[in-house]
Amino acid sequence: MKRLGDLWPRLVAFENLWFAWRRARRGKSRSQGTALFELDLEHNLVGLQRELTQGTWTPGPFRLFTIYEQKARLIAAAPFRDRVVHHAVMRVIEPPLDARFISDSYACRRGKGTHRAVARYQEWARRYRYAMKLDVRRYFPSIDRLLLRDCLARRIKDRRVLALLEQIIDSGPDYSERPAPFPGDDLLTPLERPLGIPIGNLTSQFFANLYLDDFDHWVKESLRCPAYLRYVDDMVLLADDKQQLADWRAAIGERMAALRLRLHPERGQIERTADGFTLLGYRVFPGFCRLRSENPIRCGRRLRGLAAALAAGRIGWEPIDASIHAWVGHACQADTLGLRTAVLGRLVFSRGGGA
């Protein structure tokens, strides 16, 4: 694999930072951090360029909060200034590295996404009798930072870019939970290896794909599984032979241990594709698709909260419009015409004073 070089001049170019600011502000134009940065935009971009060039840039503190969607997730939001740097980095390194990923990795990639992943699975479900879904236990908090650094160093030779990436990796919050030792560890090894990348960083989404890139190629080229897809840490394999899937599951568990990851112990059942398969919010059958039952419940609850905020004058119409379009876009991939009518038909939106 040829390593990428001569990236730093493009990364710190003012034009790259300007485009990075444009991307970082999407959907965040009304936030306080964005507004403060844009009060003196050119000065702030030039200052950021100078700090990066001189090696004096340091990441700012994260804002930590927890969201609850099926399970609690700790989100780490970087300051707006840091998000500009993250976008600047990704504009330079992501296109050439993404081109090396397998085509059936679907998370956070241009032209991919959940709907294409579901369509791909459904295509395979018409051909194969059995499917198996595996996922990694606590994936983002469990990523080994030293192994992630090695992964980047095998692909990038520009030392200044690598140093910046290491800063971003090491700036994440500390994840206090430590796993049990892996084979070959001594008692101190788990304490000596820093873990975790923050959910919420643009760079983390890319790192999560990159960390399992070699694994993806191993599944395709060494296990020779023709029907394999991945969405972040959700992995789906299909075959006509149940024993083949069981053998692959055992081999994948060993391979994950080499990455200092563990498969979720309660997942990995082998299911008949004809009976339907739960994937990325859908119940997928070979010939049709349904929305999971909890999805419209969460959507209705969220929209009722937005309606109340609109009536109280705390928000305008824009976030409601975006939320409705996002949910309809997700729901219409399944057979949900009646369901969409029922969920949206019950809602009343009225603008309150001050919005």
Side-chain angles (χ1 to χ4, degrees), residues 81-326:
R81 195 169 186 269
D82 290 4
R83 294 203 299 271
V84 174
V85 174
H86 298 168
H87 278 276
V89 171
M90 289 298 100
R91 289 191 78 246
V92 172
I93 72 168
E94 184 174 19
L97 293 180
D98 182 273
R100 301 176 182 180
F101 292 168
I102 65 168
S103 62
D104 287 310
S105 173
Y106 287 93
C108 304
R109 299 180 65 195
R110 188 182 299 274
K112 302 293 184 177
T114 57
H115 299 154
R116 289 185 181 270
V118 169
R120 182 63 157 160
Y121 166 80
Q122 193 171 46
E123 174 190 340
W124 284 332
R126 298 187 184 107
R127 296 168 52 192
Y128 296 98
R129 296 177 60 194
Y130 300 104
M132 175 179 67
K133 181 169 66 176
L134 307 170
D135 65 55
V136 177
R137 184 181 180 275
R138 302 186 76 245
Y139 180 46
F140 279 78
S142 299
I143 288 177
D144 185 289
R145 294 180 184 178
L146 298 181
L147 290 180
L148 177 58
R149 286 184 179 194
D150 290 343
C151 184
L152 287 161
R154 292 196 303 272
R155 291 161 171 82
I156 297 171
K157 63 182 178 182
D158 191 313
R159 293 184 178 180
R160 287 175 294 184
V161 173
L162 287 173
L164 179 59
L165 290 169
E166 289 173 4
Q167 269 189 292
I168 293 171
I169 291 168
D170 293 340
S171 69
D174 180 54
Y175 292 92
S176 56
E177 180 183 333
R178 294 291 162 179
F182 287 90
D185 287 357
D186 57 35
L187 290 176
L188 295 179
T189 301
L191 302 175
E192 295 170 344
R193 302 191 70 91
L195 298 180
I197 56 176
I199 301 174
N201 266 13
L202 172 73
T203 49
S204 295
Q205 298 168 359
F206 178 74
F207 291 155
N209 279 338
L210 186 72
Y211 196 74
L212 290 179
D213 177 45
D214 289 337
F215 168 82
D216 290 339
H217 285 278
W218 173 79
V219 172
K220 300 290 288 185
E221 297 159 15
S222 296
L223 291 188
R224 296 188 177 276
C225 176
Y228 163 77
L229 67 83
R230 178 169 65 86
Y231 192 95
V232 192
D233 64 316
D234 285 340
M235 298 159 279
V236 178
L237 300 88
L238 296 91
D240 284 323
D241 184 350
K242 291 179 70 173
Q243 185 58 50
Q244 177 70 84
L245 287 171
D247 292 344
W248 284 341
R249 181 174 55 201
I252 287 171
E254 293 179 4
R255 187 76 176 190
M256 283 293 166
L259 291 169
R260 305 190 68 80
L261 299 172
R262 287 184 171 88
L263 295 176
H264 198 291
E266 298 176 3
R267 314 279 166 78
Q269 294 84 1
I270 298 170
E271 305 176 43
R272 279 169 37 92
T273 53
D275 295 337
F277 190 80
T278 299
L279 179 64
L280 301 174
Y282 299 96
R283 186 70 179 173
V284 190
F285 296 81
F288 62 96
C289 190
R290 292 175 179 164
L291 207 59
R292 291 182 62 181
S293 59
E294 65 269 20
N295 182 278
I297 296 173
R298 289 201 307 269
C299 174
R301 186 184 303 123
R302 182 172 63 252
L303 290 177
R304 286 192 296 272
L306 290 173
L310 179 70
R314 296 195 302 271
I315 63 171
W317 174 251
E318 293 82 0
I320 297 173
D321 184 59
S323 187
I324 290 174
H325 277 84

Side-chain angles (χ1 to χ4, degrees), residues 42-84:
E42 184 174 355
H43 174 79
N44 284 325
L45 289 177
V46 169
L48 204 53
Q49 182 186 43
R50 181 173 59 252
E51 289 179 27
L52 289 170
T53 302
Q54 295 176 352
T56 58
W57 176 81
T58 56
F62 286 93
R63 179 172 61 89
L64 301 178
F65 58 95
T66 302
I67 62 171
Y68 299 89
E69 291 184 355
Q70 297 182 317
K71 60 183 178 180
R73 297 179 187 273
L74 178 65
I75 305 298
F80 181 78
R81 195 169 186 269
D82 290 4
R83 294 203 299 271
V84 174

